[in-house]
Amino acid sequence: KATHKEGISMKPRIGIMSRYLAKDNRFVTKAGYIYAISAVGGLPIQIPIADVADVDAIAGMVDGIIITGGADVTPLVYGEQPVPAIGPTCGANDRFEIALIHAALAKKKPVLVICRGIQDINVAYGGTLYQDNPSQISRDICHNQVAAGTERTHSAAIEPGSYMHSIAKCDTMLVNSFHHQALNTIGDGLKVSARAMDGVVEAVENADGSVFAVQWHPELLYAENPEHRAIFEAFVKRCAAK
Ligand code: MN
């Protein structure tokens, strides 16, 4: 299949969210997302946190969107006050990203959601969060590993019959874990597709899998683990079909 036509790439254009780093006054996108999308035949495009009024235009320019990892979600967007153990938040980031998710859904553009993004998408669907796992739900499993990101540290049980299961083609997979927030009530229209052994939600999806979210970081695992690479392959394939 041709990937270029008259100098224009025919690869699916994948918009990848940036983060605002206040201390450096920069928008940054971690390289792993760019490499992963490139590796499976997508054209990565960085999306800055811009004017919320422009989310429709941005969603219209790409074939799919990746919501990436980052800081905690401000609990104000789901109607709660911050608990003492909450980490750094950026309300402008949250509001832009939630608006972009709604814009993508309205345009039927596939959305792949990673790490912090799973918290964002759950809020976009009307769900709530545990603001701080260790103090709020006292789990027995470490979800904020000190090991390198390429190290898989805990298991996730994949829901039979889920889109996740059709991608990973296994009942249990090993994942990395860099989150101290987790999903509480699940947004209406999402369903859980993977859980850690302590019950913490590790993946959700919508009815047709066009919205697909994982709590871990597959962009750090795809090179050596086919079941994690499959997440990006399935997503870019879906974007190409649009
Ligand atoms: Mn985890």
Side-chain angles (χ1 to χ4, degrees):
K1 186 182 169 186
T3 56
H4 290 76
K5 184 181 179 185
E6 295 174 1
I8 298 169
S9 175
M10 302 297 281
K11 293 177 178 177
R13 295 159 296 176
I14 310 300
I16 304 175
M17 271 307 301
S18 303
R19 295 279 154 238
Y20 180 63
L21 281 192
K23 72 177 173 62
D24 297 330
N25 194 28
R26 289 173 195 265
F27 292 111
V28 297
T29 303
K30 288 196 174 177
Y33 302 110
I34 307 288
Y35 294 151
I37 287 302
S38 297
V40 299
L43 178 67
I45 297 169
Q46 289 174 270
I47 302 177
I49 299 157
D51 192 330
V52 173
D54 291 332
V55 291
D56 279 330
I58 292 168
M61 288 190 290
V62 296
D63 298 306
I65 285 175
I66 297 187
I67 306 294
T68 56
D72 285 2
V73 176
T74 173
L76 300 177
V77 298
Y78 52 92
E80 291 182 14
Q81 297 296 307
V83 301
I86 195 164
T89 57
C90 176
N93 187 335
D94 299 329
R95 291 179 193 99
F96 178 84
E97 218 160 72
I98 290 168
L100 182 63
I101 289 167
H102 285 300
L105 293 174
K107 292 180 185 302
K108 303 205 183 313
K109 303 288 174 91
V111 182
L112 174 62
V113 183
I114 293 172
C115 197
R116 160 207 147 83
I118 195 172
Q119 274 103 49
D120 250 353
I121 198 122
N122 193 45
V123 171
Y125 273 83
T128 65
L129 309 178
Y130 292 111
Q131 295 181 37
D132 176 60
N133 278 347
S135 64
Q136 290 191 297
I137 44 179
S138 64
R139 302 294 182 176
D140 299 326
I141 290 176
C142 173
H143 286 279
N144 210 352
Q145 71 190 53
V146 291
T150 50
E151 180 86 355
R152 297 170 298 163
T153 60
H154 74 67
S155 303
I158 313 300
E159 193 65 35
S162 64
Y163 179 64
M164 174 81 229
H165 197 275
S166 75
I167 292 172
K169 298 180 170 61
C170 54
D171 298 328
T172 306
M173 60 197 281
L174 289 170
V175 301
N176 55 16
S177 201
F178 292 95
H179 58 109
H180 89 112
Q181 296 204 310
L183 306 201
N184 187 349
T185 58
I186 305 300
D188 193 19
L190 295 175
K191 59 184 178 179
V192 174
S193 45
R195 283 183 193 274
M197 299 305 136
D198 58 7
V200 163
V201 173
E202 290 284 336
V204 296
E205 60 194 45
N206 70 349
D208 69 2
S210 59
V211 172
F212 177 63
V214 295
Q215 182 72 76
W216 64 89
H217 282 279
E219 81 280 7
L220 302 176
L221 300 170
Y222 77 93
E224 293 178 355
N225 302 282
E227 71 277 24
H228 291 287
R229 183 184 179 97
I231 292 169
F232 294 104
E233 288 173 335
F235 174 65
V236 168
K237 191 175 172 187
R238 197 182 262 275
C239 294
K242 285 287 161 187

